[in-house]
C-alpha cells in the first residue's frame, strides 16, 4: 500500500505559464500565509491522531471477533509509533507543496513512483485502493462545499498574487483537495494494509481537521485583505462573510447527536399520516370494563376471602422474582404455555396455601394491575422483532415490572417511567441482533443479560434502580452506535465505490469502442485498452465528465484513433506532425498520473512512435494485426421484471427500513436494515444489528422474496416495544370483545 503518489495536472505548459510570485512583490506575504497555515494545522493534526487512538481502541474493545480485535489493536500500536513521524512529514509536505505552488510547480510529494504491476490485461483499480481514492475525494468535496465562500475568496487572492486571472480549485495548496492528498501520501508510509483501519484514520482526518479548516481560511483571507490583496472582495456581494454553520445546525451534527443518544433508528415514520396515538394501560382496562357485555363475566366467587395486603403482595412477588423463568429452555419454547405457567405461579404464591387451598384474594387494584401487565407481556413476548435469546431475557422482567406497576401506579400512564423505558431500550437494541453464540463481555447479549440480572436480583421497591441500569446500558449503546456507524459508513462507501467503478469502467469501454479502438495498430490499441483506460476510469471517478483532465484524456484517445485508425478521410500529414508532441506529452503525463511502470511506458511510447512513422510514410496507412476473438455466446434473455405491489413497495423503500428475510429454507430468518441503494443499478445493501453486512441484492430479487412470502417488512419497528404490544393488545381485545357483542345484538 505504501507508495509516493503524485498530483500531476494535465494542463499543457502550466509550469512555464505560472510565474513565480509576481515580481517578488508578494514573496514575503506568501511565506506569511504558509506559516499561518502550518501553525494552525499542527494542533489540528495532533488532536486528530489522538482521536485515531481513541477510535481504534474503542473499535477493538467492541469487536465481535478475536481477529477483528487483533486487527484494531495492532493498528493502534503501529499508529502510536508512526504518528510523530506522520505529523512531521505532513507539515514538511505541506510546506513543499506551498512553495511549489508559488514557484509555478503544481506537484506534490517526491520519490520514485511505484510500478503499477500491470501484467497482461491491466486491472483497473484494486478495491482497497479505490476505497482510499473515494475517501480522499469525498472528504475533500465535502469540505470544499462547506467552506465554498472562504475558498472562493482565497482562490481569487492567490491567483492575483500569481499574476493570473484565476486558479482551478484543486490547485490551491491550502484547499481541501491538497490537504487530503498530502494526508494520503503520508498515510501511505504507515505500515499496515488493513483498509478498515485506514478508513477509520481518514474519517478522523475529515472529522477533526477538514471540518475545522474554515477558521484557517478565514485567518488567511483576513491577513491578505489587511495587506491590500483585493480588499474589496467579500462574500455575498459585499455582505459580511458567511458564518460557518454551527454544529447544532449541520446535518452531521444532528446525526452525531443521535449517535450520542444511542439512537440507531435512522428511518422515520412512513409518510402519509400522523403517528397513531397509543392508549395508556389504564385506558385499556377501562375500555375492557366498558365493552364487556353484562352477563358475560361471571361474578367473583371468592369475595368472602380476606384481601391480601399490598405489602404482602410485594413480598410474595419478591420471593418468586429471581426464580421466575430462570430454568427456561430455549430449544422448544411455547410462549403461551410459559405465560400460563407464570399465571399459575402467581396464583399459588399470592392466594393459595401449601395444600392448594385458596386463602386470600387480591384487592381490585392489584388484580387489575396483574391482569393488565401479564396481558401486556403476552404481546411483548409475541413480538416478532425480538430474537429468541433476547425474548427469554426480557421475559424474566415480568415480575419486577409487575412489582414496579403495583408500587408506582404512574407506570400504567407514564410512557417515560424508567421501567418502561428500560424495556423499550433493551428491545430496540435487540432488533437485527444475530445470535452467533458470543456471550463474552463485549457482546450485546452480555450487556442485556447484565441489565436484566441486576433488576431481577437487586430490585426491591425503589424504581431508581431501573434508571441506574438504563443509564449504564445507554452508555454501552452509545459506544456501540459509534462503532456501527463507522462500520456502516465503511460498508456503504465500499459498495458505492464498486458500483461507481463498474459504471465508470463500462462508460470508458463504451467510449473507446465508440471511437473504434479495434481499428488501431497493436501498439496504440494496447495503450488505450490498458493504462489509458485505467487513467480515464480514475479521472471519470475523480472529476466527472466536466473535468478538464478527463476531457484531455478523451481528446488524446480521439486523436490516436483519428491518425492511426486507417479511416477513409483525407490524411493530413502536417496536422499529424504538429500533433505528435502533444500526444506524446499527454501520454507521459497520464502515465505519471497513474504511476505507470517507466520501462513499460518507454516501450509502449517507442512502439507508438514507430506507428506514427509508418503512418507518415504511407499516407496514414498502418498495418493492423487482427486479434483472434472467441465466439461470444449470445446474451441470455432476461426475464421481464414483474410490476406489482411488491416491486412498488421495494422501489419505495427508504434507507433505515427494517425487513425480515429468509434467504434459505434451512437458515434462520434474517432481520436487517437497508442502509444504501445504488442510483445506477438499484442494488440494495442491508446490515444486521451489529452494523455488519447482511445481504446485497437488486430490487427485482428482493421483490421476488416479498412475492413468495420469504420477506416481510418489520411492523412498527420504529415504535417502542411497549407501544407495539399495546397496539396488538387493542386489536385482540376488539376481536374478543366487540365480536361477541355484535353477535349478541344480532
Amino acid at each position: 500500500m505504501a507508495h509516493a503518489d503524485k498530483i500531476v495536472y494535465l494542463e499543457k505548459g502550466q509550469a512555464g505559464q505560472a510565474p513565480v510570485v509576481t515580481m517578488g512583490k508578494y514573496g514575503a506575504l506568501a511565506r506569511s500565509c504558509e506559516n499561518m497555515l502550518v501553525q494552525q494545522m499542527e494542533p489540528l493534526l495532533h488532536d486528530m491522531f489522538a482521536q485515531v487512538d481513541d477510535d481504534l481502541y474503542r473499535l477493538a474493545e467492541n469487536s465481535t471477533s478475536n481477529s477483528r480485535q487483533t486487527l484494531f489493536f495492532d493498528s493502534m500500536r503501529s499508529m502510536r509509533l508512526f504518528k510523530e513521524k506522520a505529523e512531521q512529514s505532513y507539515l514538511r509536505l505541506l510546506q513543499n507543496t506551498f512553495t511549489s505552488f508559488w514557484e509555478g510547480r503544481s506537484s506534490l510529494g517526491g520519490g520514485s513512483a511505484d510500478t503499477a504491476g500491470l501484467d497482461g490485461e491491466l486491472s483497473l483499480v484494486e478495491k482497497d485502493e479505490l476505497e482510499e481514492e473515494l475517501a480522499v475525494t469525498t472528504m475533500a468535496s465535502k469540505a470544499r462545499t462547506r467552506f465554498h465562500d472562504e475558498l472562493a475568496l482565497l482562490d481569487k487572492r492567490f491567483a492575483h498574487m500569481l499574476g493570473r486571472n484565476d486558479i482551478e480549485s484543486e490547485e490551491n495548496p491550502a484547499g481541501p483537495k491538497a490537504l487530503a492528498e498530502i494526508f494520503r501520501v503520508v498515510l501511505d508510509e504507515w505500515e499496515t494494509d488493513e483498509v478498515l483501519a485506514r478508513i477509520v484514520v481518514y474519517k478522523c482526518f475529515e472529522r477533526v481537521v477538514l471540518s475545522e479548516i474554515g477558521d484557517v481560511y478565514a485567518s488567511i483571507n483576513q491577513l491578505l485583505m489587511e495587506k491590500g490583496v483585493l480588499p474589496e472582495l467579500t462574500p455575498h456581494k459585499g455582505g459580511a462573510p458567511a458564518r460557518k454553520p454551527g454544529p447544532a445546525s449541520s446535518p452531521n451534527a444532528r446525526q452525531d447527536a443521535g449517535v450520542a443518544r444511542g439512537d440507531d433508528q435512522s428511518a422515520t415514520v412512513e409518510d402519509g399520516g400522523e403517528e397513531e396515538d397509543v392508549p395508556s394501560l389504564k385506558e385499556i382496562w377501562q375500555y375492557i370494563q366498558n365493552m364487556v357485555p353484562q352477563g358475560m363475566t361471571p361474578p367473583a366467587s371468592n369475595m368472602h376471602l380476606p384481601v391480601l395486603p399490598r405489602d404482602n403482595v410485594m413480598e410474595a412477588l419478591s420471593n418468586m422474582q429471581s426464580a421466575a423463568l430462570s430454568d427456561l429452555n430455549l430449544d422448544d419454547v411455547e410462549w403461551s404455555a410459559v405465560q400460563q405457567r407464570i399465571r399459575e405461579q402467581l396464583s399459588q404464591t399470592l392466594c393459595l396455601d401449601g395444600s392448594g387451598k385458596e386463602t386470600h384474594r387480591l384487592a381490585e387494584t392489584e388484580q387489575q394491575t396483574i391482569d393488565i401487565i401479564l396481558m401486556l407481556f403476552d404481546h411483548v413476548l409475541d413480538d416478532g422483532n425480538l430474537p429468541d435469546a433476547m425474548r427469554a431475557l426480557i421475559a424474566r422482567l415480568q415480575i419486577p415490572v409487575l412489582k414496579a406497576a403495583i408500587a408506582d401506579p404512574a407506570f400504567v400512564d407514564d410512557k417515560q417511567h424508567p421501567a418502561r423505558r428500560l424495556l423499550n431500550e433493551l428491545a430496540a437494541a435487540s432488533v437485527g441482533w444475530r445470535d452467533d453464540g458470543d456471550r463474552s463481555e463485549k457482546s450485546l447479549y452480555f450487556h442485556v443479560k447484565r441489565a436484566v440480572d441486576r433488576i431481577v436480583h437487586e430490585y426491591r421497591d425503589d424504581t431508581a434502580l431501573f434508571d441506574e441500569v438504563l443509564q449504564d446500558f445507554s452508555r454501552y449503546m452509545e459506544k456501540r452506535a459509534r462503532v456501527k456507524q463507522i462500520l456502516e459508513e465503511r460498508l456503504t462507501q465500499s459498495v458505492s465505490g464498486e458500483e461507481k467503478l463498474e459504471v465508470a469502467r463500462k462508460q470508458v469501454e463504451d467510449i473507446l469502442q465508440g471511437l473504434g479502438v479495434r481499428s488501431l495498430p497493436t501498439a496504440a490499441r494496447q495503450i488505450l485498452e490498458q493504462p489509458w483506460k485505467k487513467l480515464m476510469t480514475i479521472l471519470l471517478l475523480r472529476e466527472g465528465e466536466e473535468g478538464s483532465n478527463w476531457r484531455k484524456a478523451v481528446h488524446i484517445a480521439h486523436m490516436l484513433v483519428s491518425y492511426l485508425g486507417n479511416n477513409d478521410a483525407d490524411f493530413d500529414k502536417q496536422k499529424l506532425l504538429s500533433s505528435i508532441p502533444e500526444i506524446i506529452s499527454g501520454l507521459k503525463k497520464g502515465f505519471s498520473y497513474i504511476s505507470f511502470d517507466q520501462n513499460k511506458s518507454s516501450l509502449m511510447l517507442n512502439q507508438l512512435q514507430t506507428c506514427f512513422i509508418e503512418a507518415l510514410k504511407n499516407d496514414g496507412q498502418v498495418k493492423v494485426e487482427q486479434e483472434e476473438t472467441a465466439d461470444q455466446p449470445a446474451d441470455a434473455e432476461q426475464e421481464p421484471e414483474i410490476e406489482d405491489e411488491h416491486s412498488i413497495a421495494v422501489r419505495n423503500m427508504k434507507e433505515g427500513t427494517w425487513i425480515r428475510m429468509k434467504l434459505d429454507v434451512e437458515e434462520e430468518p434474517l432481520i436487517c436494515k437497508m442502509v444504501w441503494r445504488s442510483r445506477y443499478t438499484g442494488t440494495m445493501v442491508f446490515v444486521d444489528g451489529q452494523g455488519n453486512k447482511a445481504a446485497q441484492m437488486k430490487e427485482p430479487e428482493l421483490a421476488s422474496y416479498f412475492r413468495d412470502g420469504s420477506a416481510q417488512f418489520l411492523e412498527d419497528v420504529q415504535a417502542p416495544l411497549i407501544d407495539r404490544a399495546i397496539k396488538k393488545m387493542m386489536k385482540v381485545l376488539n376481536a374478543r370483545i366487540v365480536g361477541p357483542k355484535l353477535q349478541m345484538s344480532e
Side-chain angles (χ1 to χ4, degrees):
M1 184 73 68
H3 65 278
D5 201 354
K6 295 183 179 180
I7 301 176
V8 181
Y9 296 92
L10 299 180
E11 282 74 19
K12 187 170 73 172
Q14 180 185 19
Q17 292 177 358
V20 179
V21 177
T22 307
M23 301 297 293
K25 178 179 179 181
Y26 294 114
L29 185 55
R31 286 191 292 274
S32 297
C33 293
E34 175 187 324
N35 292 335
M36 179 175 289
L37 176 64
V38 171
Q39 289 172 4
Q40 295 193 42
M41 283 292 294
E42 187 171 3
L44 291 177
L45 287 171
H46 186 75
D47 292 345
M48 186 274 300
F49 281 111
Q51 185 63 50
V52 167
D53 193 83
D54 291 343
D55 285 0
L56 290 173
Y57 180 81
R58 186 166 54 249
L59 285 167
E61 282 290 291
N62 291 277
S63 295
T64 57
S65 66
N66 290 333
S67 61
R68 180 158 290 188
Q69 183 183 61
T70 301
L71 182 158
F72 287 124
F73 274 135
D74 288 348
S75 299
M76 181 183 69
R77 283 189 285 268
S78 66
M79 177 55 74
R80 288 177 177 175
L81 298 174
F82 174 67
K83 65 179 182 180
E84 183 176 352
K85 174 186 175 183
E87 289 183 29
Q88 296 172 355
S89 297
Y90 188 95
L91 297 176
R92 184 175 64 253
L93 275 175
L94 183 60
Q95 291 174 314
N96 292 343
T97 303
F98 222 84
T99 301
S100 297
F101 172 76
W102 296 114
E103 292 178 352
R105 296 182 289 107
S106 295
S107 61
L108 167 65
S112 59
D114 283 354
T115 62
L118 303 171
D119 297 323
E121 185 174 42
L122 183 69
S123 61
L124 288 176
V125 184
E126 293 182 358
K127 289 182 180 179
D128 291 356
E129 180 183 350
L130 177 65
E131 288 197 48
E132 295 196 43
E133 293 279 358
L134 291 177
V136 171
T137 302
T138 301
M139 65 183 178
S141 177
K142 286 182 182 178
R144 184 87 202 177
T145 300
R146 184 175 185 183
F147 305 116
H148 176 270
D149 291 344
E150 295 91 334
L151 279 165
L153 297 181
L154 201 57
D155 289 346
K156 290 179 181 179
R157 288 188 168 114
F158 280 1
H160 178 77
M161 293 167 68
L162 285 172
R164 293 164 56 180
N165 292 329
D166 55 48
I167 60 173
E168 293 192 10
S169 60
E170 293 188 356
E171 289 184 77
N172 193 328
K177 181 62 182 297
L179 300 180
E181 288 287 0
I182 292 172
F183 189 69
R184 182 161 68 99
V185 171
V186 171
L187 201 61
D188 281 347
E189 300 303 319
W190 182 29
E191 294 182 356
T192 180
D193 290 333
E194 297 296 347
V195 67
L196 177 55
R198 300 176 74 85
I199 294 298
V200 170
V201 179
Y202 279 121
K203 287 295 181 183
C204 285
F205 183 81
E206 177 182 3
R207 191 169 68 249
V208 179
V209 178
L210 290 188
S211 66
E212 301 297 327
I213 202 65
D215 293 338
V216 180
Y217 298 148
S219 299
I220 298 177
N221 269 314
Q222 183 66 29
L223 171 66
L224 296 177
M225 186 171 63
E226 292 174 355
K227 296 299 183 180
V229 180
L230 303 181
E232 71 280 3
L233 288 182
T234 54
H236 307 302
K237 298 183 180 180
R243 293 181 61 189
K244 183 174 63 176
S249 62
S250 69
N252 287 341
R254 289 194 297 271
Q255 185 180 21
D256 292 342
V259 171
R261 292 191 306 270
D263 184 6
D264 186 49
Q265 307 298 332
S266 57
T268 57
V269 178
E270 295 290 337
D271 296 337
E274 295 182 357
E275 186 177 357
E276 181 183 353
D277 289 335
V278 178
S280 70
L281 298 175
K282 180 182 291 185
E283 289 171 336
I284 291 178
W285 184 257
Q286 293 171 349
Y287 175 80
I288 295 173
Q289 300 304 307
N290 293 334
M291 294 300 292
V292 174
Q294 291 185 357
M296 285 188 62
T297 305
S301 60
N302 60 353
M303 296 301 294
H304 64 286
L305 296 175
V307 173
L308 189 66
R310 175 173 291 189
D311 289 345
N312 294 61
V313 172
M314 295 293 288
E315 182 180 358
L317 292 175
S318 295
N319 291 335
M320 67 177 295
Q321 179 171 292
S322 60
L325 303 183
S326 59
D327 58 346
L328 187 63
N329 185 359
L330 279 180
D331 292 337
D332 188 19
V333 178
E334 176 56 54
W335 287 105
S336 60
V338 170
Q339 289 302 95
Q340 181 60 33
R341 174 183 165 191
I342 287 287
R343 285 179 169 83
E344 292 173 355
Q345 289 178 343
L346 282 172
S347 177
Q348 293 171 0
T349 302
L350 297 174
C351 301
L352 305 181
D353 60 15
S355 62
K357 181 181 179 181
E358 192 173 14
T359 58
H360 291 84
R361 64 182 174 90
L362 296 175
E364 183 178 1
T365 302
E366 278 80 36
Q367 186 65 62
Q368 289 178 356
T369 302
I370 291 174
D371 288 344
I372 203 74
I373 295 300
L374 290 181
M375 191 186 307
L376 175 69
F377 265 91
D378 287 345
H379 296 282
V380 164
L381 299 178
D382 190 47
D383 193 296
N385 300 339
L386 290 178
D388 287 341
M390 296 299 184
R391 196 191 320 266
L393 291 177
I394 291 175
R396 296 182 61 206
L397 292 176
Q398 284 186 87
I399 304 303
V401 169
L402 179 56
K403 283 175 57 182
I406 293 174
D408 182 6
F411 177 89
V412 298
D413 291 317
D414 185 8
K415 290 187 177 183
Q416 298 303 314
H417 192 283
R420 188 162 172 169
R421 288 173 56 212
L422 178 62
L423 278 172
N424 288 334
E425 288 295 322
L426 295 178
S430 303
V431 174
W433 175 75
R434 285 195 277 184
D435 191 355
D436 57 0
D438 184 9
R439 301 294 188 263
S440 68
E441 293 185 6
K442 292 175 291 185
S443 69
L444 175 65
Y445 182 90
F446 173 86
H447 287 272
V448 173
K449 185 177 185 298
R450 184 169 70 174
V452 170
D453 284 345
R454 284 201 62 191
I455 297 297
V456 166
H457 296 297
E458 298 178 26
Y459 175 61
R460 302 300 295 175
D461 55 11
D462 185 0
T463 55
L465 178 64
F466 285 95
D467 253 331
E468 181 183 333
V469 172
L470 176 61
Q471 291 175 14
D472 182 59
F473 185 74
S474 295
R475 283 191 291 270
Y476 164 74
M477 289 305 299
E478 288 173 12
K479 298 178 181 179
R480 181 179 171 85
R482 287 193 289 268
V483 174
K484 287 169 62 177
Q485 183 184 22
I486 292 173
L487 292 175
E488 289 181 13
E489 286 180 353
R490 184 209 172 223
L491 172 62
T492 56
Q493 187 179 51
S494 173
V495 178
S496 174
E498 293 176 9
E499 285 274 330
K500 290 178 181 177
L501 173 60
E502 290 302 317
V503 171
R505 181 187 345 210
K506 181 65 167 59
Q507 187 172 345
V508 169
E509 287 177 349
D510 289 346
I511 289 173
L512 293 178
Q513 293 304 318
L515 289 175
V517 171
R518 289 294 174 183
S519 65
L520 291 174
T522 302
R525 187 171 65 248
Q526 286 181 343
I527 287 175
L528 292 185
E529 290 186 339
Q530 295 180 13
W532 208 251
K533 184 162 68 172
K534 175 179 180 178
L535 172 71
M536 291 176 67
T537 302
I538 292 176
L539 291 178
L540 185 57
L541 287 169
R542 286 185 175 178
E543 300 182 357
E545 295 183 68
E546 300 302 318
S548 59
N549 292 334
W550 160 258
R551 292 196 300 269
K552 288 180 181 295
V554 174
H555 177 61
I556 288 174
H558 187 271
M559 285 195 294
L560 282 176
V561 175
S562 297
Y563 293 128
L564 300 177
N566 289 324
N567 51 50
D568 296 332
D570 294 336
F571 177 69
D572 190 333
K573 182 180 296 187
Q574 292 301 319
K575 191 173 182 180
L576 172 57
L577 279 171
S578 63
S579 298
I580 287 176
E582 179 183 0
I583 295 173
I584 298 299
S585 175
L587 290 174
K588 287 182 177 179
K589 289 179 180 178
F591 292 163
S592 176
Y593 191 93
I594 61 173
S595 300
F596 187 46
D597 181 79
Q598 293 182 357
N599 293 328
K600 292 184 179 181
S601 170
S602 299
L603 179 60
M604 283 186 167
L605 292 177
N606 289 337
Q607 292 173 341
L608 180 64
Q609 288 177 338
T610 301
C611 292
F612 285 143
I613 294 172
E614 185 178 351
L616 291 170
K617 287 181 178 179
N618 301 320
D619 291 330
Q621 297 300 312
V622 183
K623 182 180 179 181
V624 178
E625 297 179 1
Q626 297 295 331
E627 292 185 349
E628 296 183 4
T629 56
D631 293 335
Q632 297 295 325
D635 292 336
E637 292 186 6
Q638 293 184 351
E639 296 183 5
E641 295 183 11
I642 301 174
E643 183 70 10
D644 57 10
E645 70 273 15
H646 302 293
S647 60
I648 294 173
V650 169
R651 194 159 54 244
N652 292 333
M653 282 177 62
K654 299 178 181 179
E655 290 182 4
T657 300
W658 286 88
I659 64 173
R660 180 187 292 104
M661 287 191 295
K662 194 172 181 65
L663 303 180
D664 191 291
V665 292
E666 297 182 357
E667 294 181 358
E668 290 294 321
L670 180 66
I671 293 179
C672 51
K673 178 179 67 173
M674 188 184 83
V675 293
W676 182 83
R677 184 204 305 260
S678 168
R679 61 188 178 94
Y680 303 110
T681 65
T683 298
M684 311 168 78
V685 175
F686 297 85
V687 298
D688 60 17
Q690 285 99 311
N692 297 317
K693 184 177 179 180
Q696 179 176 331
M697 63 185 67
K698 294 187 177 180
E699 292 173 359
E701 183 181 1
L702 180 58
S704 69
Y705 281 109
F706 277 97
R707 198 170 291 116
D708 65 18
S710 299
Q712 306 89 29
F713 291 102
L714 289 194
E715 296 180 8
D716 295 326
V717 70
Q718 306 301 324
L721 172 68
I722 301 300
D723 289 1
R724 297 201 301 266
I726 289 175
K727 288 181 181 179
K728 290 182 179 179
M729 189 188 305
M730 289 299 295
K731 290 180 181 178
V732 172
L733 288 174
N734 280 324
R736 291 179 179 175
I737 298 174
V738 178
K741 184 176 182 181
L742 290 175
Q743 291 178 3
M744 290 181 64
S745 65
E746 295 174 356

